[in-house]
């Protein structure tokens, strides 16, 4: 397994509306898409930096994963996503090497990509996502 690049970095924010101006006005990036993922209770906003995205994550309720994260740890970097050519195989290989998985199999994430998460207990505290086809 070898990631081709950092696909995106997920950042938990209290409000997209309040956070987007920093990325647009200070960093000069352009928000090219927003999307609500209802079953994750989250609204997302995307920016492109080279071939890597910044994904802002605003909770739509306190009981979703981002709402819980902010309550426990505050806003800030939530996860890092590595681009993998084959997410199912990468998850399988990580598991064989003793990594605890959150997702045993890929599921559909934002932008229709296959995604799967590794448990931060197995990754030095970094919530890690594999992302790809
Ligand atoms: Zn992600």
């Amino acid at each position: 397994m070898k990631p081709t690049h950092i696909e995106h970095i997920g950042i938990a924010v209290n409000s997209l509306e309040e956070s987007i101006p920093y990325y647009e006005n200070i960093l000069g990036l352009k928000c090219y898409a927003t999307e609500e993922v209802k079953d994750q209770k989250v609204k997302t906003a995307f920016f492109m930096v080279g071939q890597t995205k910044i994904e802002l994550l605003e909770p739509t309720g306190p009981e979703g994963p981002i709402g819980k994260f902010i309550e426990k740890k505050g806003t800030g970097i939530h996860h890092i996503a590595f681009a993998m050519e084959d997410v199912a195989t990468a998850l399988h290989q990580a598991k064989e090497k003793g990594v605890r998985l959150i997702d045993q199999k890929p599921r559909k994430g934002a932008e229709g990509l296959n995604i799967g998460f590794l448990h931060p207990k197995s990754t030095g505290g970094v919530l890690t996502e594999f992302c790809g086809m």
Side-chain angles (χ1 to χ4, degrees), residues 8 10 55 57 79 81 115 117 129:
H8 64 270
E55 178 185 40
L57 302 154
H79 68 275
I115 63 164
F117 281 92
E129 177 182 350

